[in-house]
Amino acid sequence: MPPSAQGAFPIVPYPDPRAAIGWLERALGARALAVHPPEPDQPLVHAEIRVGEGVVMLNDARRTDDGPFALRDPVAVYVVVGDPDALHARAAAAGAEIVMGLTDQPYGSREFAVRDPGGNVWSLGTYRPEVP
């Protein structure tokens, strides 16, 4: 992405964000890009993961402050992926709760959705919104 381009990076809350990173790696093929602090015995302050063609930030839902990023309720995230069939098989093999099986949508996307252990819903498919 060019330096002047902007993007949207959802923030997904988890009661145990370090465990969530492991689950996302196993079930959805995610890759941790940044984990701060990196020491596993320290409370997570900030994390970024790559899932499919997107980057998502993780938040600790156990935060006690009432700031604007003290998110506690589950969210839904859509991620563009190249091979939803293979990723669906991976998620199912990892024991993910499939809340929508592989579906060919009338708008041309092939997608599925899972609920993660934190209650968040991940929809993964081939639909790519066009950016004018």
PDB file of all heavy atoms in Angstrom, residues 74-115:
ATOM      1  N   PRO A  74     -18.383  -8.579  21.427  1.00  0.00           N
ATOM      2  CA  PRO A  74     -17.898  -9.213  20.201  1.00  0.00           C
ATOM      3  C   PRO A  74     -18.221  -8.375  18.968  1.00  0.00           C
ATOM      4  O   PRO A  74     -19.162  -7.575  18.959  1.00  0.00           O
ATOM      5  CB  PRO A  74     -18.664 -10.542  20.160  1.00  0.00           C
ATOM      6  CG  PRO A  74     -19.095 -10.787  21.559  1.00  0.00           C
ATOM      7  CD  PRO A  74     -19.323  -9.418  22.153  1.00  0.00           C
ATOM      8  N   VAL A  75     -17.431  -8.561  17.927  1.00  0.00           N
ATOM      9  CA  VAL A  75     -17.611  -7.863  16.659  1.00  0.00           C
ATOM     10  C   VAL A  75     -17.631  -8.890  15.529  1.00  0.00           C
ATOM     11  O   VAL A  75     -17.343 -10.063  15.728  1.00  0.00           O
ATOM     12  CB  VAL A  75     -16.479  -6.839  16.412  1.00  0.00           C
ATOM     13  CG1 VAL A  75     -16.450  -5.778  17.494  1.00  0.00           C
ATOM     14  CG2 VAL A  75     -15.123  -7.525  16.309  1.00  0.00           C
ATOM     15  N   ALA A  76     -17.948  -8.423  14.332  1.00  0.00           N
ATOM     16  CA  ALA A  76     -17.867  -9.246  13.127  1.00  0.00           C
ATOM     17  C   ALA A  76     -16.860  -8.595  12.189  1.00  0.00           C
ATOM     18  O   ALA A  76     -16.832  -7.370  12.043  1.00  0.00           O
ATOM     19  CB  ALA A  76     -19.230  -9.353  12.452  1.00  0.00           C
ATOM     20  N   VAL A  77     -16.036  -9.427  11.566  1.00  0.00           N
ATOM     21  CA  VAL A  77     -14.991  -8.946  10.666  1.00  0.00           C
ATOM     22  C   VAL A  77     -15.078  -9.747   9.374  1.00  0.00           C
ATOM     23  O   VAL A  77     -15.222 -10.974   9.410  1.00  0.00           O
ATOM     24  CB  VAL A  77     -13.587  -9.148  11.294  1.00  0.00           C
ATOM     25  CG1 VAL A  77     -12.491  -8.693  10.338  1.00  0.00           C
ATOM     26  CG2 VAL A  77     -13.478  -8.429  12.613  1.00  0.00           C
ATOM     27  N   TYR A  78     -14.992  -9.062   8.224  1.00  0.00           N
ATOM     28  CA  TYR A  78     -14.934  -9.737   6.930  1.00  0.00           C
ATOM     29  C   TYR A  78     -13.502  -9.653   6.424  1.00  0.00           C
ATOM     30  O   TYR A  78     -12.878  -8.593   6.473  1.00  0.00           O
ATOM     31  CB  TYR A  78     -15.880  -9.082   5.906  1.00  0.00           C
ATOM     32  CG  TYR A  78     -15.779  -9.750   4.559  1.00  0.00           C
ATOM     33  CD1 TYR A  78     -16.459 -10.938   4.309  1.00  0.00           C
ATOM     34  CD2 TYR A  78     -14.975  -9.224   3.562  1.00  0.00           C
ATOM     35  CE1 TYR A  78     -16.342 -11.579   3.091  1.00  0.00           C
ATOM     36  CE2 TYR A  78     -14.856  -9.857   2.334  1.00  0.00           C
ATOM     37  CZ  TYR A  78     -15.538 -11.036   2.103  1.00  0.00           C
ATOM     38  OH  TYR A  78     -15.411 -11.674   0.893  1.00  0.00           O
ATOM     39  N   VAL A  79     -12.980 -10.785   5.921  1.00  0.00           N
ATOM     40  CA  VAL A  79     -11.617 -10.846   5.416  1.00  0.00           C
ATOM     41  C   VAL A  79     -11.636 -11.458   4.015  1.00  0.00           C
ATOM     42  O   VAL A  79     -12.266 -12.493   3.788  1.00  0.00           O
ATOM     43  CB  VAL A  79     -10.719 -11.701   6.339  1.00  0.00           C
ATOM     44  CG1 VAL A  79      -9.300 -11.775   5.795  1.00  0.00           C
ATOM     45  CG2 VAL A  79     -10.717 -11.154   7.754  1.00  0.00           C
ATOM     46  N   VAL A  80     -10.942 -10.812   3.082  1.00  0.00           N
ATOM     47  CA  VAL A  80     -10.801 -11.338   1.729  1.00  0.00           C
ATOM     48  C   VAL A  80      -9.758 -12.458   1.751  1.00  0.00           C
ATOM     49  O   VAL A  80      -8.652 -12.266   2.270  1.00  0.00           O
ATOM     50  CB  VAL A  80     -10.356 -10.230   0.747  1.00  0.00           C
ATOM     51  CG1 VAL A  80     -10.154 -10.801  -0.657  1.00  0.00           C
ATOM     52  CG2 VAL A  80     -11.364  -9.092   0.721  1.00  0.00           C
ATOM     53  N   VAL A  81     -10.123 -13.598   1.199  1.00  0.00           N
ATOM     54  CA  VAL A  81      -9.192 -14.726   1.105  1.00  0.00           C
ATOM     55  C   VAL A  81      -9.243 -15.302  -0.305  1.00  0.00           C
ATOM     56  O   VAL A  81     -10.258 -15.216  -0.987  1.00  0.00           O
ATOM     57  CB  VAL A  81      -9.499 -15.827   2.144  1.00  0.00           C
ATOM     58  CG1 VAL A  81      -9.334 -15.299   3.564  1.00  0.00           C
ATOM     59  CG2 VAL A  81     -10.881 -16.417   1.962  1.00  0.00           C
ATOM     60  N   GLY A  82      -8.145 -15.896  -0.724  1.00  0.00           N
ATOM     61  CA  GLY A  82      -8.057 -16.437  -2.069  1.00  0.00           C
ATOM     62  C   GLY A  82      -8.689 -17.808  -2.226  1.00  0.00           C
ATOM     63  O   GLY A  82      -9.208 -18.137  -3.283  1.00  0.00           O
ATOM     64  N   ASP A  83      -8.647 -18.632  -1.173  1.00  0.00           N
ATOM     65  CA  ASP A  83      -9.150 -20.001  -1.269  1.00  0.00           C
ATOM     66  C   ASP A  83     -10.022 -20.321  -0.053  1.00  0.00           C
ATOM     67  O   ASP A  83      -9.570 -20.945   0.906  1.00  0.00           O
ATOM     68  CB  ASP A  83      -7.968 -20.977  -1.352  1.00  0.00           C
ATOM     69  CG  ASP A  83      -8.397 -22.402  -1.658  1.00  0.00           C
ATOM     70  OD1 ASP A  83      -9.616 -22.703  -1.614  1.00  0.00           O
ATOM     71  OD2 ASP A  83      -7.502 -23.230  -1.929  1.00  0.00           O
ATOM     72  N   PRO A  84     -11.285 -19.878  -0.081  1.00  0.00           N
ATOM     73  CA  PRO A  84     -12.145 -20.121   1.076  1.00  0.00           C
ATOM     74  C   PRO A  84     -12.376 -21.606   1.353  1.00  0.00           C
ATOM     75  O   PRO A  84     -12.553 -21.999   2.502  1.00  0.00           O
ATOM     76  CB  PRO A  84     -13.446 -19.395   0.742  1.00  0.00           C
ATOM     77  CG  PRO A  84     -13.417 -19.183  -0.722  1.00  0.00           C
ATOM     78  CD  PRO A  84     -11.995 -19.147  -1.137  1.00  0.00           C
ATOM     79  N   ASP A  85     -12.360 -22.451   0.337  1.00  0.00           N
ATOM     80  CA  ASP A  85     -12.582 -23.878   0.554  1.00  0.00           C
ATOM     81  C   ASP A  85     -11.470 -24.478   1.421  1.00  0.00           C
ATOM     82  O   ASP A  85     -11.744 -25.208   2.381  1.00  0.00           O
ATOM     83  CB  ASP A  85     -12.679 -24.622  -0.779  1.00  0.00           C
ATOM     84  CG  ASP A  85     -13.937 -24.252  -1.543  1.00  0.00           C
ATOM     85  OD1 ASP A  85     -14.002 -23.132  -2.095  1.00  0.00           O
ATOM     86  OD2 ASP A  85     -14.860 -25.069  -1.576  1.00  0.00           O
ATOM     87  N   ALA A  86     -10.228 -24.169   1.096  1.00  0.00           N
ATOM     88  CA  ALA A  86      -9.100 -24.696   1.872  1.00  0.00           C
ATOM     89  C   ALA A  86      -9.105 -24.129   3.282  1.00  0.00           C
ATOM     90  O   ALA A  86      -8.851 -24.845   4.255  1.00  0.00           O
ATOM     91  CB  ALA A  86      -7.781 -24.367   1.177  1.00  0.00           C
ATOM     92  N   LEU A  87      -9.433 -22.840   3.416  1.00  0.00           N
ATOM     93  CA  LEU A  87      -9.452 -22.231   4.743  1.00  0.00           C
ATOM     94  C   LEU A  87     -10.606 -22.779   5.577  1.00  0.00           C
ATOM     95  O   LEU A  87     -10.461 -22.997   6.783  1.00  0.00           O
ATOM     96  CB  LEU A  87      -9.534 -20.704   4.629  1.00  0.00           C
ATOM     97  CG  LEU A  87      -9.270 -19.938   5.908  1.00  0.00           C
ATOM     98  CD1 LEU A  87      -7.925 -20.326   6.530  1.00  0.00           C
ATOM     99  CD2 LEU A  87      -9.299 -18.444   5.629  1.00  0.00           C
ATOM    100  N   HIS A  88     -11.740 -23.052   4.940  1.00  0.00           N
ATOM    101  CA  HIS A  88     -12.872 -23.672   5.638  1.00  0.00           C
ATOM    102  C   HIS A  88     -12.455 -25.032   6.176  1.00  0.00           C
ATOM    103  O   HIS A  88     -12.745 -25.372   7.337  1.00  0.00           O
ATOM    104  CB  HIS A  88     -14.064 -23.797   4.693  1.00  0.00           C
ATOM    105  CG  HIS A  88     -15.257 -24.441   5.305  1.00  0.00           C
ATOM    106  ND1 HIS A  88     -15.418 -25.814   5.332  1.00  0.00           N
ATOM    107  CD2 HIS A  88     -16.341 -23.916   5.926  1.00  0.00           C
ATOM    108  CE1 HIS A  88     -16.563 -26.102   5.932  1.00  0.00           C
ATOM    109  NE2 HIS A  88     -17.133 -24.977   6.311  1.00  0.00           N
ATOM    110  N   ALA A  89     -11.771 -25.820   5.365  1.00  0.00           N
ATOM    111  CA  ALA A  89     -11.311 -27.139   5.810  1.00  0.00           C
ATOM    112  C   ALA A  89     -10.343 -27.000   6.984  1.00  0.00           C
ATOM    113  O   ALA A  89     -10.419 -27.763   7.952  1.00  0.00           O
ATOM    114  CB  ALA A  89     -10.644 -27.885   4.651  1.00  0.00           C
ATOM    115  N   ARG A  90      -9.467 -26.016   6.929  1.00  0.00           N
ATOM    116  CA  ARG A  90      -8.514 -25.792   8.022  1.00  0.00           C
ATOM    117  C   ARG A  90      -9.244 -25.409   9.306  1.00  0.00           C
ATOM    118  O   ARG A  90      -8.951 -25.921  10.379  1.00  0.00           O
ATOM    119  CB  ARG A  90      -7.527 -24.695   7.630  1.00  0.00           C
ATOM    120  CG  ARG A  90      -6.532 -24.387   8.711  1.00  0.00           C
ATOM    121  CD  ARG A  90      -5.615 -23.242   8.325  1.00  0.00           C
ATOM    122  NE  ARG A  90      -4.604 -23.061   9.321  1.00  0.00           N
ATOM    123  CZ  ARG A  90      -3.340 -22.819   9.079  1.00  0.00           C
ATOM    124  NH1 ARG A  90      -2.919 -22.711   7.836  1.00  0.00           N
ATOM    125  NH2 ARG A  90      -2.488 -22.664  10.064  1.00  0.00           N
ATOM    126  N   ALA A  91     -10.199 -24.481   9.184  1.00  0.00           N
ATOM    127  CA  ALA A  91     -10.952 -24.029  10.355  1.00  0.00           C
ATOM    128  C   ALA A  91     -11.738 -25.183  10.969  1.00  0.00           C
ATOM    129  O   ALA A  91     -11.755 -25.362  12.189  1.00  0.00           O
ATOM    130  CB  ALA A  91     -11.882 -22.879   9.964  1.00  0.00           C
ATOM    131  N   ALA A  92     -12.382 -25.979  10.128  1.00  0.00           N
ATOM    132  CA  ALA A  92     -13.156 -27.122  10.630  1.00  0.00           C
ATOM    133  C   ALA A  92     -12.240 -28.131  11.321  1.00  0.00           C
ATOM    134  O   ALA A  92     -12.569 -28.645  12.391  1.00  0.00           O
ATOM    135  CB  ALA A  92     -13.923 -27.777   9.484  1.00  0.00           C
ATOM    136  N   ALA A  93     -11.072 -28.394  10.735  1.00  0.00           N
ATOM    137  CA  ALA A  93     -10.126 -29.339  11.330  1.00  0.00           C
ATOM    138  C   ALA A  93      -9.605 -28.832  12.677  1.00  0.00           C
ATOM    139  O   ALA A  93      -9.291 -29.634  13.559  1.00  0.00           O
ATOM    140  CB  ALA A  93      -8.963 -29.587  10.375  1.00  0.00           C
ATOM    141  N   ALA A  94      -9.548 -27.518  12.835  1.00  0.00           N
ATOM    142  CA  ALA A  94      -9.089 -26.931  14.101  1.00  0.00           C
ATOM    143  C   ALA A  94     -10.210 -26.846  15.131  1.00  0.00           C
ATOM    144  O   ALA A  94     -10.003 -26.365  16.240  1.00  0.00           O
ATOM    145  CB  ALA A  94      -8.503 -25.536  13.847  1.00  0.00           C
ATOM    146  N   GLY A  95     -11.414 -27.286  14.770  1.00  0.00           N
ATOM    147  CA  GLY A  95     -12.530 -27.292  15.708  1.00  0.00           C
ATOM    148  C   GLY A  95     -13.279 -25.977  15.790  1.00  0.00           C
ATOM    149  O   GLY A  95     -14.037 -25.755  16.735  1.00  0.00           O
ATOM    150  N   ALA A  96     -13.099 -25.100  14.798  1.00  0.00           N
ATOM    151  CA  ALA A  96     -13.806 -23.815  14.813  1.00  0.00           C
ATOM    152  C   ALA A  96     -15.313 -24.030  14.717  1.00  0.00           C
ATOM    153  O   ALA A  96     -15.778 -24.961  14.055  1.00  0.00           O
ATOM    154  CB  ALA A  96     -13.333 -22.941  13.650  1.00  0.00           C
ATOM    155  N   GLU A  97     -16.067 -23.157  15.389  1.00  0.00           N
ATOM    156  CA  GLU A  97     -17.527 -23.191  15.289  1.00  0.00           C
ATOM    157  C   GLU A  97     -17.923 -22.537  13.969  1.00  0.00           C
ATOM    158  O   GLU A  97     -17.829 -21.323  13.817  1.00  0.00           O
ATOM    159  CB  GLU A  97     -18.157 -22.437  16.463  1.00  0.00           C
ATOM    160  CG  GLU A  97     -19.664 -22.391  16.391  1.00  0.00           C
ATOM    161  CD  GLU A  97     -20.306 -21.484  17.422  1.00  0.00           C
ATOM    162  OE1 GLU A  97     -19.594 -20.940  18.297  1.00  0.00           O
ATOM    163  OE2 GLU A  97     -21.546 -21.301  17.342  1.00  0.00           O
ATOM    164  N   ILE A  98     -18.352 -23.331  13.011  1.00  0.00           N
ATOM    165  CA  ILE A  98     -18.774 -22.817  11.704  1.00  0.00           C
ATOM    166  C   ILE A  98     -20.207 -22.311  11.856  1.00  0.00           C
ATOM    167  O   ILE A  98     -21.109 -23.085  12.151  1.00  0.00           O
ATOM    168  CB  ILE A  98     -18.710 -23.915  10.621  1.00  0.00           C
ATOM    169  CG1 ILE A  98     -17.358 -24.613  10.601  1.00  0.00           C
ATOM    170  CG2 ILE A  98     -19.100 -23.348   9.264  1.00  0.00           C
ATOM    171  CD1 ILE A  98     -16.197 -23.825  10.112  1.00  0.00           C
ATOM    172  N   VAL A  99     -20.409 -21.002  11.693  1.00  0.00           N
ATOM    173  CA  VAL A  99     -21.754 -20.437  11.846  1.00  0.00           C
ATOM    174  C   VAL A  99     -22.433 -20.230  10.493  1.00  0.00           C
ATOM    175  O   VAL A  99     -23.638 -20.026  10.434  1.00  0.00           O
ATOM    176  CB  VAL A  99     -21.739 -19.125  12.667  1.00  0.00           C
ATOM    177  CG1 VAL A  99     -21.299 -19.404  14.098  1.00  0.00           C
ATOM    178  CG2 VAL A  99     -20.875 -18.066  12.027  1.00  0.00           C
ATOM    179  N   MET A 100     -21.656 -20.285   9.404  1.00  0.00           N
ATOM    180  CA  MET A 100     -22.210 -20.281   8.051  1.00  0.00           C
ATOM    181  C   MET A 100     -21.265 -21.125   7.204  1.00  0.00           C
ATOM    182  O   MET A 100     -20.079 -20.809   7.079  1.00  0.00           O
ATOM    183  CB  MET A 100     -22.305 -18.865   7.469  1.00  0.00           C
ATOM    184  CG  MET A 100     -22.932 -18.841   6.071  1.00  0.00           C
ATOM    185  SD  MET A 100     -22.989 -17.190   5.332  1.00  0.00           S
ATOM    186  CE  MET A 100     -21.319 -17.037   4.710  1.00  0.00           C
ATOM    187  N   GLY A 101     -21.790 -22.209   6.665  1.00  0.00           N
ATOM    188  CA  GLY A 101     -20.970 -23.078   5.822  1.00  0.00           C
ATOM    189  C   GLY A 101     -20.604 -22.398   4.522  1.00  0.00           C
ATOM    190  O   GLY A 101     -21.054 -21.290   4.225  1.00  0.00           O
ATOM    191  N   LEU A 102     -19.786 -23.059   3.737  1.00  0.00           N
ATOM    192  CA  LEU A 102     -19.395 -22.509   2.439  1.00  0.00           C
ATOM    193  C   LEU A 102     -20.638 -22.181   1.625  1.00  0.00           C
ATOM    194  O   LEU A 102     -21.531 -23.017   1.476  1.00  0.00           O
ATOM    195  CB  LEU A 102     -18.525 -23.508   1.676  1.00  0.00           C
ATOM    196  CG  LEU A 102     -17.068 -23.548   2.121  1.00  0.00           C
ATOM    197  CD1 LEU A 102     -16.387 -24.787   1.570  1.00  0.00           C
ATOM    198  CD2 LEU A 102     -16.343 -22.286   1.701  1.00  0.00           C
ATOM    199  N   THR A 103     -20.693 -20.954   1.164  1.00  0.00           N
ATOM    200  CA  THR A 103     -21.873 -20.454   0.463  1.00  0.00           C
ATOM    201  C   THR A 103     -21.442 -19.648  -0.749  1.00  0.00           C
ATOM    202  O   THR A 103     -20.536 -18.811  -0.655  1.00  0.00           O
ATOM    203  CB  THR A 103     -22.696 -19.527   1.396  1.00  0.00           C
ATOM    204  OG1 THR A 103     -23.019 -20.256   2.589  1.00  0.00           O
ATOM    205  CG2 THR A 103     -23.964 -19.040   0.738  1.00  0.00           C
ATOM    206  N   ASP A 104     -22.092 -19.901  -1.884  1.00  0.00           N
ATOM    207  CA  ASP A 104     -21.901 -19.061  -3.068  1.00  0.00           C
ATOM    208  C   ASP A 104     -22.964 -17.981  -3.024  1.00  0.00           C
ATOM    209  O   ASP A 104     -24.163 -18.264  -3.144  1.00  0.00           O
ATOM    210  CB  ASP A 104     -22.028 -19.895  -4.345  1.00  0.00           C
ATOM    211  CG  ASP A 104     -20.880 -20.880  -4.500  1.00  0.00           C
ATOM    212  OD1 ASP A 104     -19.732 -20.499  -4.204  1.00  0.00           O
ATOM    213  OD2 ASP A 104     -21.134 -22.032  -4.908  1.00  0.00           O
ATOM    214  N   GLN A 105     -22.520 -16.743  -2.813  1.00  0.00           N
ATOM    215  CA  GLN A 105     -23.442 -15.620  -2.662  1.00  0.00           C
ATOM    216  C   GLN A 105     -23.886 -15.098  -4.035  1.00  0.00           C
ATOM    217  O   GLN A 105     -23.141 -15.215  -5.016  1.00  0.00           O
ATOM    218  CB  GLN A 105     -22.766 -14.487  -1.873  1.00  0.00           C
ATOM    219  CG  GLN A 105     -22.346 -14.882  -0.477  1.00  0.00           C
ATOM    220  CD  GLN A 105     -23.530 -15.117   0.455  1.00  0.00           C
ATOM    221  OE1 GLN A 105     -24.692 -15.020   0.089  1.00  0.00           O
ATOM    222  NE2 GLN A 105     -23.214 -15.456   1.694  1.00  0.00           N
ATOM    223  N   PRO A 106     -25.082 -14.489  -4.117  1.00  0.00           N
ATOM    224  CA  PRO A 106     -25.557 -13.967  -5.398  1.00  0.00           C
ATOM    225  C   PRO A 106     -24.696 -12.817  -5.933  1.00  0.00           C
ATOM    226  O   PRO A 106     -24.728 -12.525  -7.125  1.00  0.00           O
ATOM    227  CB  PRO A 106     -26.983 -13.496  -5.089  1.00  0.00           C
ATOM    228  CG  PRO A 106     -27.099 -13.441  -3.615  1.00  0.00           C
ATOM    229  CD  PRO A 106     -26.055 -14.347  -3.048  1.00  0.00           C
ATOM    230  N   TYR A 107     -23.888 -12.194  -5.078  1.00  0.00           N
ATOM    231  CA  TYR A 107     -23.023 -11.102  -5.535  1.00  0.00           C
ATOM    232  C   TYR A 107     -21.644 -11.608  -5.953  1.00  0.00           C
ATOM    233  O   TYR A 107     -20.720 -10.830  -6.178  1.00  0.00           O
ATOM    234  CB  TYR A 107     -22.905 -10.001  -4.473  1.00  0.00           C
ATOM    235  CG  TYR A 107     -22.654 -10.493  -3.065  1.00  0.00           C
ATOM    236  CD1 TYR A 107     -21.374 -10.743  -2.604  1.00  0.00           C
ATOM    237  CD2 TYR A 107     -23.730 -10.704  -2.202  1.00  0.00           C
ATOM    238  CE1 TYR A 107     -21.149 -11.191  -1.309  1.00  0.00           C
ATOM    239  CE2 TYR A 107     -23.515 -11.149  -0.909  1.00  0.00           C
ATOM    240  CZ  TYR A 107     -22.223 -11.389  -0.468  1.00  0.00           C
ATOM    241  OH  TYR A 107     -22.007 -11.823   0.811  1.00  0.00           O
ATOM    242  N   GLY A 108     -21.500 -12.940  -6.083  1.00  0.00           N
ATOM    243  CA  GLY A 108     -20.294 -13.493  -6.661  1.00  0.00           C
ATOM    244  C   GLY A 108     -19.248 -13.992  -5.679  1.00  0.00           C
ATOM    245  O   GLY A 108     -18.219 -14.502  -6.092  1.00  0.00           O
ATOM    246  N   SER A 109     -19.472 -13.866  -4.392  1.00  0.00           N
ATOM    247  CA  SER A 109     -18.487 -14.297  -3.414  1.00  0.00           C
ATOM    248  C   SER A 109     -18.726 -15.741  -2.994  1.00  0.00           C
ATOM    249  O   SER A 109     -19.858 -16.189  -2.919  1.00  0.00           O
ATOM    250  CB  SER A 109     -18.558 -13.409  -2.171  1.00  0.00           C
ATOM    251  OG  SER A 109     -17.556 -13.762  -1.230  1.00  0.00           O
ATOM    252  N   ARG A 110     -17.656 -16.429  -2.723  1.00  0.00           N
ATOM    253  CA  ARG A 110     -17.734 -17.746  -2.068  1.00  0.00           C
ATOM    254  C   ARG A 110     -17.166 -17.517  -0.685  1.00  0.00           C
ATOM    255  O   ARG A 110     -16.037 -17.035  -0.525  1.00  0.00           O
ATOM    256  CB  ARG A 110     -16.928 -18.786  -2.831  1.00  0.00           C
ATOM    257  CG  ARG A 110     -17.028 -20.170  -2.191  1.00  0.00           C
ATOM    258  CD  ARG A 110     -16.726 -21.246  -3.221  1.00  0.00           C
ATOM    259  NE  ARG A 110     -16.700 -22.579  -2.653  1.00  0.00           N
ATOM    260  CZ  ARG A 110     -17.767 -23.327  -2.380  1.00  0.00           C
ATOM    261  NH1 ARG A 110     -18.981 -22.851  -2.619  1.00  0.00           N
ATOM    262  NH2 ARG A 110     -17.636 -24.543  -1.877  1.00  0.00           N
ATOM    263  N   GLU A 111     -17.943 -17.827   0.348  1.00  0.00           N
ATOM    264  CA  GLU A 111     -17.527 -17.462   1.700  1.00  0.00           C
ATOM    265  C   GLU A 111     -18.104 -18.400   2.746  1.00  0.00           C
ATOM    266  O   GLU A 111     -18.984 -19.204   2.471  1.00  0.00           O
ATOM    267  CB  GLU A 111     -17.896 -16.015   2.008  1.00  0.00           C
ATOM    268  CG  GLU A 111     -19.345 -15.687   1.793  1.00  0.00           C
ATOM    269  CD  GLU A 111     -19.612 -14.187   1.715  1.00  0.00           C
ATOM    270  OE1 GLU A 111     -18.919 -13.478   0.977  1.00  0.00           O
ATOM    271  OE2 GLU A 111     -20.544 -13.746   2.389  1.00  0.00           O
ATOM    272  N   PHE A 112     -17.567 -18.246   3.959  1.00  0.00           N
ATOM    273  CA  PHE A 112     -18.054 -18.969   5.124  1.00  0.00           C
ATOM    274  C   PHE A 112     -17.793 -18.086   6.333  1.00  0.00           C
ATOM    275  O   PHE A 112     -17.130 -17.052   6.238  1.00  0.00           O
ATOM    276  CB  PHE A 112     -17.376 -20.342   5.269  1.00  0.00           C
ATOM    277  CG  PHE A 112     -15.938 -20.282   5.693  1.00  0.00           C
ATOM    278  CD1 PHE A 112     -15.577 -20.481   7.023  1.00  0.00           C
ATOM    279  CD2 PHE A 112     -14.942 -20.030   4.770  1.00  0.00           C
ATOM    280  CE1 PHE A 112     -14.243 -20.435   7.411  1.00  0.00           C
ATOM    281  CE2 PHE A 112     -13.610 -19.977   5.150  1.00  0.00           C
ATOM    282  CZ  PHE A 112     -13.260 -20.172   6.475  1.00  0.00           C
ATOM    283  N   ALA A 113     -18.324 -18.489   7.486  1.00  0.00           N
ATOM    284  CA  ALA A 113     -18.117 -17.691   8.695  1.00  0.00           C
ATOM    285  C   ALA A 113     -17.915 -18.614   9.889  1.00  0.00           C
ATOM    286  O   ALA A 113     -18.520 -19.688   9.970  1.00  0.00           O
ATOM    287  CB  ALA A 113     -19.305 -16.758   8.945  1.00  0.00           C
ATOM    288  N   VAL A 114     -17.068 -18.167  10.817  1.00  0.00           N
ATOM    289  CA  VAL A 114     -16.806 -18.900  12.051  1.00  0.00           C
ATOM    290  C   VAL A 114     -16.961 -17.956  13.238  1.00  0.00           C
ATOM    291  O   VAL A 114     -16.812 -16.740  13.101  1.00  0.00           O
ATOM    292  CB  VAL A 114     -15.380 -19.519  12.083  1.00  0.00           C
ATOM    293  CG1 VAL A 114     -15.191 -20.502  10.943  1.00  0.00           C
ATOM    294  CG2 VAL A 114     -14.308 -18.461  12.054  1.00  0.00           C
ATOM    295  N   ARG A 115     -17.287 -18.542  14.385  1.00  0.00           N
ATOM    296  CA  ARG A 115     -17.285 -17.785  15.643  1.00  0.00           C
ATOM    297  C   ARG A 115     -16.050 -18.241  16.405  1.00  0.00           C
ATOM    298  O   ARG A 115     -15.821 -19.439  16.575  1.00  0.00           O
ATOM    299  CB  ARG A 115     -18.545 -18.046  16.461  1.00  0.00           C
ATOM    300  CG  ARG A 115     -18.621 -17.184  17.717  1.00  0.00           C
ATOM    301  CD  ARG A 115     -19.906 -17.418  18.532  1.00  0.00           C
ATOM    302  NE  ARG A 115     -21.073 -17.782  17.763  1.00  0.00           N
ATOM    303  CZ  ARG A 115     -21.920 -16.922  17.164  1.00  0.00           C
ATOM    304  NH1 ARG A 115     -21.710 -15.634  17.259  1.00  0.00           N
ATOM    305  NH2 ARG A 115     -22.972 -17.362  16.508  1.00  0.00           N
TER     306      ARG A 115
END
